[in-house]
Amino acid sequence: MGIPMADTSSCLSLPFIQPSQAQKHVTHNEALRILDVLTQLGVLSDDQPAPPATPTEGDRHIVGDAATAAWSGHDSELALFENGLWQYFQPKAGWRAYVTGRETMVVYDGTDWIDLDSDELQEIEAFGLGMAALPTAPFSAKLNAALWTGLYQADGGDGNMISTLNKEASGGDTGFVFQQDFGTRGLFGLFGSDNLRLATSANGVDFRDGLIVDAGTGVVEQPNLPRFKATTNFDNYTAADVWTTIAINNAEFNDQAALNAGTNQFVAPVAGSYFFGASLTFKQNASAQARMRARLLLNGTDVITGSLGEVTGPHVSEQTTLTVQSMALLAAGDTVEVQGQLRGFDGYFKADETAFWGFKVG
């Protein structure tokens, strides 16, 4: 024995054409009419208890609570004005409609129509916008632009916009993760401590901190800023009237390994503006009458403007020190070295008291 065929569909109650039915076009057209009403559903209102006095053909409304007049007894139903009469459709859970009068989306939960921003939509476990929510990111969105704006005072707000990221404990993480094709390339926030941290990575595994702000003091640290300070650990002999590169071979610190002790040169790891300084202390050989000069040399040929200095007066207890300093705009790979010269007589630039230093400033 066959299963009896239903008269209507289970979701939208569309009428089925029955076997041996006469005038099949009537049933077919009725199904199309219902589809025309319920698909891409938009209504003029969802909060009116009584129908408008002069409805227009094709108007659709969600009947409000405690309905009266022609809508009486049809609370929450979809009302269509067609052929001069109101017709009603019972919604099912999950139906959604756009209310043009309030410019908002509503959804039927099986009992009531509620705004998608209603307090009733709480404790949602996952939400995907343009994509399925990821297991590790219950709120996931796939889009090309996003905007958060403060609610203006004219609209009932205070005009401000504040986003808050919260973590449970000091050793946890809260912040922004920047990725390329889902491989992490940057971090900004409180990661592993309460210090504000900005870090980058070329492979998503090894991270370098560019900026750390101490939570207790507000002091800014730049752990990977190119900077160095070094001295010579032996007396550098200099013949008379000869520019001599000082053997700066004893680094006190040398971040980014920018100073090459083998060549006695600073090598710029990245392009930018750098500040350099040097102090040269005289030590006599046969005569204390030598005049002392110093300069900073770019790429082994060009004197950095403002770095040439000279002492022409008498030396004091072999402790005369000449200091020079300047700034330079460097390309990656450019070199800077410190040179000294003794005019008229030979001598030495003294160990441990002859130094070279520098750091990136921009």
Side-chain angles (χ1 to χ4, degrees):
M1 181 176 181
I3 299 176
M5 184 176 179
D7 293 333
T8 59
S9 65
S10 57
C11 293
L12 296 181
S13 298
L14 302 178
F16 288 144
I17 297 175
Q18 300 297 315
S20 303
Q21 175 184 329
Q23 294 186 318
K24 294 179 173 61
H25 68 281
V26 175
T27 302
H28 175 71
N29 290 340
E30 176 63 12
L32 293 179
R33 188 183 69 86
I34 294 174
L35 284 174
D36 183 60
V37 174
L38 301 183
T39 56
Q40 300 292 342
L41 183 56
V43 298
L44 296 174
S45 70
D46 66 340
D47 53 5
Q48 296 182 18
T54 56
T56 300
E57 186 79 3
D59 282 357
R60 291 178 294 182
H61 297 264
I62 294 174
V63 178
D65 294 336
T68 61
W71 286 359
S72 179
H74 295 284
D75 293 14
S76 297
E77 293 182 16
L78 177 66
L80 166 70
F81 189 74
E82 189 174 58
N83 297 323
L85 298 173
W86 288 104
Q87 301 179 49
Y88 305 96
F89 301 84
Q90 180 63 47
K92 293 189 177 183
W95 283 23
R96 287 166 291 180
Y98 181 73
V99 184
T100 58
R102 297 195 299 119
E103 296 184 346
T104 190
M105 287 289 296
V106 294
V107 61
Y108 189 67
D109 67 358
T111 302
D112 298 301
W113 290 91
I114 56 177
D115 290 358
L116 286 178
D117 61 354
S118 168
D119 290 340
E120 296 182 42
L121 290 177
Q122 301 292 334
E123 307 259 347
I124 297 175
E125 294 185 359
F127 182 82
L129 179 61
M131 63 179 295
L134 301 176
T136 56
F139 174 75
S140 301
K142 189 175 185 179
L143 60 168
N144 292 118
L147 169 67
W148 294 89
T149 181
L151 184 63
Y152 289 11
Q153 293 183 8
D155 298 323
D158 59 14
N160 301 312
M161 176 63 211
I162 298 175
S163 294
T164 301
L165 304 178
N166 179 64
K167 62 179 180 178
E168 181 177 359
S170 177
D173 300 330
T174 182
F176 296 95
V177 177
F178 302 94
Q179 296 189 331
Q180 175 184 306
D181 198 23
F182 298 101
T184 299
R185 294 296 180 265
L187 305 173
F188 181 69
L190 312 180
F191 291 88
S193 74
D194 289 336
N195 298 329
L196 182 63
R197 177 185 176 197
L198 173 63
T200 60
S201 174
N203 56 18
V205 177
D206 303 309
F207 288 86
R208 291 180 177 270
D209 290 318
L211 184 74
I212 298 175
V213 183
D214 186 88
T217 65
V219 174
V220 177
E221 178 185 356
Q222 295 175 272
N224 288 292
L225 184 72
R227 54 191 166 190
F228 73 98
K229 181 185 178 184
T231 61
T232 180
N233 62 5
F234 64 92
D235 294 333
N236 284 237
Y237 175 76
T238 303
D241 301 313
V242 177
W243 281 107
T244 303
T245 297
I246 307 300
I248 301 296
N249 60 354
N250 184 33
E252 294 183 17
F253 55 86
N254 188 16
D255 295 346
Q256 297 280 6
L259 180 68
N260 186 334
T263 63
N264 307 307
Q265 294 176 322
F266 169 85
V267 183
V270 294
S273 54
Y274 292 80
F275 177 86
F276 296 99
S279 61
L280 285 71
T281 300
F282 170 77
K283 180 179 180 181
Q284 76 176 55
N285 187 16
S287 171
Q289 301 304 309
R291 293 163 62 184
M292 182 169 60
R293 306 178 78 191
R295 67 185 184 181
L296 299 172
L297 204 63
L298 174 63
N299 293 328
T301 57
D302 300 323
V303 178
I304 296 177
T305 305
S307 71
L308 180 63
E310 182 173 358
V311 173
T312 59
H315 299 293
V316 181
S317 303
E318 298 186 351
Q319 292 297 314
T320 303
T321 297
L322 171 61
T323 300
V324 295
Q325 60 186 23
S326 189
M327 288 181 61
L329 187 63
L330 305 182
D334 281 350
T335 65
V336 177
E337 61 194 89
V338 57
Q339 291 189 332
Q341 184 190 72
L342 297 176
R343 299 178 65 182
F345 301 89
D346 68 351
Y348 297 88
F349 289 107
K350 196 172 183 180
D352 302 323
E353 296 182 33
T354 296
F356 182 31
W357 61 87
F359 55 91
K360 189 176 187 295
V361 294

